[in-house]
Amino acid sequence: MKKDRGQVWLGVAGCTVNEQGQWLVVKKAYSGLKGRWSLPAGFVNAGETVDEAVIRELKEETGIDCYVSGLIGFRTGVIRGEISDNMAIFYCKMKDEQQQLFIQENEILEAKWLYPSELAQDDRTSVMLKEMVSNSFEQHQLDAIEGIDPGEIFGYTSYRLFFKK
């Protein structure tokens, strides 16, 4: 079932790196990324923050429980002059390195841990991911700042800022 996302889309992607330096990547079963290595990703649902959405998407698509370490990028574009397509890209870390991968079969063809050098050489790697593996993002990430209350007047039930500490 295709959801109507309107004319402004907000998505998330999570770059998770294991102790060996391999990146968690997936091959989507649909869309322009079908059969191509990309990051686990999806849309933000109503009632969740972008960082909550990326944790959910990683778990749904790969079975891996993670936490957000920081924001490492933001992709934005306009599709066919009509749709504003935006994606927050997070650096995530596994809660437990011993977790086993499993895939969400209706959306994902394969999930795998690959080294950045392997992704850089693979013709099936998405354009965004190829660009990411050529840059060192860990030292440039924006860190999550929690525990801030902007005031009752706004009615936030969840609130986080991402800044360089």
Side-chain angles (χ1 to χ4, degrees), residues 15-19 21-24 91-92 97 113 137-138:
C15 183
T16 306
V17 181
N18 67 17
E19 290 175 339
Q22 297 168 309
W23 291 23
L24 177 57
Y91 185 41
C92 301
E97 287 277 335
W113 293 100
F137 59 81
E138 289 94 340

Side-chain angles (χ1 to χ4, degrees), residues 15-16 51 54-55 58 64-70 90-96:
C15 183
T16 306
D51 53 308
V54 77
I55 291 167
L58 277 159
I64 299 296
D65 283 310
C66 293
Y67 64 93
V68 169
S69 174
F90 290 94
Y91 185 41
C92 301
K93 295 185 180 179
M94 286 190 293
K95 290 182 177 179
D96 176 7

Side-chain angles (χ1 to χ4, degrees), residues 100-119:
Q100 298 297 310
L101 290 175
F102 74 83
I103 61 169
Q104 185 180 27
E105 292 182 4
N106 60 332
E107 290 190 20
I108 305 298
L109 298 172
E110 185 177 1
K112 197 171 187 179
W113 293 100
L114 293 173
Y115 289 102
S117 59
E118 293 173 298
L119 291 165

Side-chain angles (χ1 to χ4, degrees), residues 19-40:
E19 290 175 339
Q20 291 76 41
Q22 297 168 309
W23 291 23
L24 177 57
V25 292
V26 297
K27 284 185 184 174
K28 298 282 187 187
Y30 60 93
S31 81
L33 292 174
K34 183 176 183 177
R36 300 182 73 73
W37 292 119
S38 63
L39 296 174

Side-chain angles (χ1 to χ4, degrees), residues 20-88:
Q20 291 76 41
Q22 297 168 309
W23 291 23
L24 177 57
V25 292
V26 297
K27 284 185 184 174
K28 298 282 187 187
Y30 60 93
S31 81
L33 292 174
K34 183 176 183 177
R36 300 182 73 73
W37 292 119
S38 63
L39 296 174
F43 289 103
V44 178
N45 291 331
E48 67 183 354
T49 62
V50 289
D51 53 308
E52 292 166 345
V54 77
I55 291 167
R56 175 185 49 76
E57 285 291 344
L58 277 159
K59 179 69 173 177
E60 286 176 1
E61 291 188 1
T62 68
I64 299 296
D65 283 310
C66 293
Y67 64 93
V68 169
S69 174
L71 180 68
I72 57 173
F74 195 86
R75 187 214 68 208
T76 187
V78 177
I79 300 171
R80 291 180 291 283
E82 298 175 6
I83 297 170
S84 175
D85 182 19
N86 305 283
M87 178 177 281

